[in-house]
Amino acid sequence: MSNMQLDTLRRIVQEINASISLHESLDIMVNQVAEAMHVDVCSIYLLDERNQRYVLMASKGLKAESVGHVSLNTSEGLVGLVGQREEIVNLHDAPSHERFLYLAETGEELYSSFLGVPVMYRRKVMGVLVVQNQEKQDFSEAAESFLVTLCAQLSGVIAHAHAVGNIDVFRKPNSLPTYKTFQGVAGSGGIALGRAIILYPPADLAAVPDREADDISEELELLDHAIAAVRTEIESLDEKMQDALMAEERALFSVFLRMLDENALPAEIKDQIRDGNWAQGAVRLVIEKHIALFSQMEDEYLRERVSDLKDLGRRMLAFLQEADSSHRELTDESILIGEEISTAALVELPVDKIAAIVTTEGAMNSHMVIVARALGIPTVVGVTELPINTLDDVEMIVDAHQGRVFINPPRRLRARYKEIQKEEEQIAKDLRQYETRDAITPDGVAVKLYVNTGLMIDVVRGVQRGAKGVGLYRSEIPFMLRDRFPGEEEQRTIYRQQLSHFANKPVVMRTLDIGADKDLPYFAIDEENSALGWRGIRFTLDHPEIFSAQIRAMLKASIGLNNLHILLPMVTSVSEVEEALYLLDRDWHAVQEEEQVKIQKPKIGIMVEVPSVLLQIEEFAELVDFFSVGSNDLTQYLLAVDRNNPRVANVYSHFHPSVLRALSRLVKECHKYDKPISLCGEMAGDPLSAVLLMAMGFNTLSMSSSNILRVRKAICHIPMSEAEQLLDKVLKMNNPLMVKSWMEYYFKTHGLADMVKTNRLVSV
């Protein structure tokens, strides 16, 4: 593609992004493409899935009155051919083609050459872009690539317009419909009915939601205070930089002050407020409008002012947010929504008040979801098309079994989901009888069920539900809740609480495991591919001072309790374990000498998360006391699937044959070297997979407290002999869906249907 074409492409994309509606975007596109390619006709047809027809939505060259009225069946004409094939159709004599369909109302019989390109979004045809010329000619490869690139950009705009719901693309723009459904990825199961509360980061213009002003005069007053504060801030910056910067470099401050003149940006923002918008939303709208205008300008100096506009908008927003005391408190019906909600942001909130969580980013086994699961909060992630900014205080239903989110649900849908909620409450009530029972199969095999912890609420629930110990204490959570690395004594106090609550029972404490999706607010690790980056033991060995402080705190916390086990995360090589063991031994001797007390040396284990460990069990067995599988990461690395990427969420499955076979072989090898092996990933908390793990011979399964009773019930109902038969059968299967379906079928036909998180499709 030539530089000229690239410039044209950039200009068209900018204009499309700056347009206020899909209809305007399409009109811009057909006109600009017709002009850039010097063609007689450019038209865009969108697929109306409801009626299975391609509707002519915009055209330059065809009769204007045909737009919005002409449509073709998906199997009709050359447009239908492009859609069916899902590929380019390039013809020099279109009327002679057997699929050519004459539509008199468009006047297209005049045009010979035809180039049709499908508009694809996530494997689905959204529409077809067509260019035509009167003379017979084959369109060049450059023309094809130009349109393919443009269609790839347009597809996201069309998909977003469909999803947002404030535009019905086949009719004139109208108001938000009363009901809309969005699909995401099920994270933590459950049902919630409530109202949306948007969790948006401070001073982030794009994240500010639309909200009606409660009191227009109050919003105008807030804006005046914010503008005055920003003016003062900029004037003091200008004064501060007087000696450090030359006059021309300080000119930017004058530009800012001119923009803040009462007749400039503030006047436009106030107009928005008087129209009913709250001050923060008005700032966002006006700044975004000017950014869009400046971005399109040919003048490079003006294009560079975009970053200045953003900076000015952020400054105003920061002052407005500082003065905002109107943010609603969380209630029992609050459904938290946001682009991406971190673990730290979640646990800082009153978690008992959160009915559900919905995010546009993230995936089913992100760290935040794992914590939400432990807290029993229904969570749906990866709802990529959710129009967050428009949903403040909107009524919602979250079906976290199916990964579905309903906006403004109709009455009968609410009634049906309330019934499902009651059913689930009854199941939870029935499960309470298993709080005092041991996990023993009908044929007498005992299975140890441990709890995964991080917050004190996990400990309380784990004890209440009869956990036999802690299989994974996520020590990174206390680190996430601070604005600095916690000191040794702070850590000792926290660890002592964990160990004391499970006195006389083993507590496996994982050393600091940050990186990937587990960021510390005060120590961000910015990497291209964080899943394969500086994380787990790689980080702590590079920072022995942090590692040693943690080990010393753990050892001191264990004095007199002697139930501490230490687990090393993200191990990939023997040398890492040797180095960690050296530091552990050094700290063990030092603490005993310092405290003048004998401390029982804790058992040391490694996490099996990286496939390389599977091939070196013999060498690792000589160094460590036990193994613990982190099935979330092991599945991710075995299948080469980023578990935090919603685009590939459907590929991630712990029922994948390679995962099951790897685990089965791993257990045999660990037993061969007489080493205990546990599994502490989310796989342990799913009754379907837990039964298979039991059959493989795992010594311990550790899970979220919210899953202990379900897994215990399954174990108490399924004899080990039958579990082993199930395992033999599924190990021969070659498809994760077949494995899961077979397990679900077994559960449903053996009185355990309530343990299957079925996708109960609710129709309206």
Side-chain angles (χ1 to χ4, degrees), residues 263-274:
N263 297 318
L265 290 176
E268 292 183 52
I269 297 167
K270 285 179 180 179
D271 285 343
Q272 287 286 340
I273 293 172
R274 290 187 190 103

Side-chain angles (χ1 to χ4, degrees), residues 247-260:
E248 57 267 31
E249 291 167 333
R250 283 171 45 227
L252 176 61
F253 298 123
S254 305
V255 173
F256 272 8
L257 291 171
R258 282 199 299 277
M259 286 180 180
L260 289 171

Side-chain angles (χ1 to χ4, degrees), residues 273-443:
I273 293 172
R274 290 187 190 103
D275 284 343
N277 209 336
W278 68 319
Q280 294 183 40
V283 168
R284 189 199 86 217
L285 282 169
V286 171
I287 296 292
E288 281 182 348
K289 186 184 87 172
H290 282 275
I291 286 171
L293 288 170
F294 275 46
S295 299
Q296 293 172 51
M297 291 179 178
E298 298 295 331
D299 188 298
E300 191 178 340
Y301 173 81
L302 290 174
R303 281 208 309 272
E304 286 173 359
R305 298 284 69 77
V306 165
S307 60
D308 300 335
L309 271 167
K310 284 180 182 173
D311 183 49
L312 195 58
R314 279 194 289 264
R315 287 174 187 273
M316 281 191 269
L317 189 59
F319 280 105
L320 284 169
Q321 288 177 338
E322 201 175 299
D324 178 23
S325 59
S326 64
H327 193 72
R328 288 188 310 283
E329 294 295 315
L330 292 179
T331 69
D332 291 339
E333 290 191 336
S334 294
I335 294 173
L336 208 61
I337 66 172
E339 284 187 14
E340 194 167 20
I341 297 173
S342 68
T343 307
L346 172 60
V347 296
E348 280 175 348
L349 296 166
V351 290
D352 56 324
K353 294 283 188 186
I354 301 171
I357 299 168
V358 180
T359 64
T360 57
E361 303 293 326
M364 67 183 293
N365 278 327
S366 69
H367 195 255
M368 182 279 289
V369 171
I370 291 167
V371 172
R373 205 174 288 149
L375 296 168
I377 302 172
T379 303
V380 178
V381 293
V383 193
T384 50
E385 298 302 333
L386 192 74
I388 293 172
N389 289 359
T390 66
L391 298 181
D392 191 55
D393 203 34
V394 165
E395 195 169 353
M396 295 174 72
I397 294 173
V398 176
D399 180 344
H401 297 309
Q402 298 184 82
R404 295 175 87 188
V405 178
F406 304 91
I407 305 301
N408 288 320
R411 190 181 304 161
R412 57 182 170 166
L413 188 67
R414 290 200 304 271
R416 178 67 188 109
Y417 269 106
K418 279 180 180 169
E419 285 174 24
I420 294 173
Q421 259 189 334
K422 282 181 185 171
E423 289 169 20
E424 296 203 335
E425 284 165 12
Q426 187 57 49
I427 290 170
K429 194 175 175 183
D430 294 342
L431 281 172
R432 284 184 203 139
Q433 64 180 287
Y434 290 91
E435 286 181 352
T436 53
R437 289 182 62 175
D438 287 331
I440 301 175
T441 64
D443 49 358

Side-chain angles (χ1 to χ4, degrees), residues 8 11-12 15-16 22-44 57-62 64 67 129-131 146-147 150 154:
T8 306
R11 190 184 70 249
I12 295 172
E15 289 196 31
I16 287 170
L22 177 66
H23 297 273
E24 187 180 313
S25 296
L26 300 179
D27 285 336
I28 290 168
M29 186 166 182
V30 294
N31 282 287
Q32 293 278 11
V33 169
E35 185 184 331
M37 293 182 69
H38 308 293
V39 292
D40 300 321
V41 175
C42 178
S43 308
I44 180 85
M57 296 298 295
S59 181
K60 168 71 174 171
L62 297 183
V67 173
L129 178 67
V130 173
V131 293
F146 177 75
L147 291 187
L150 202 51
L154 182 64

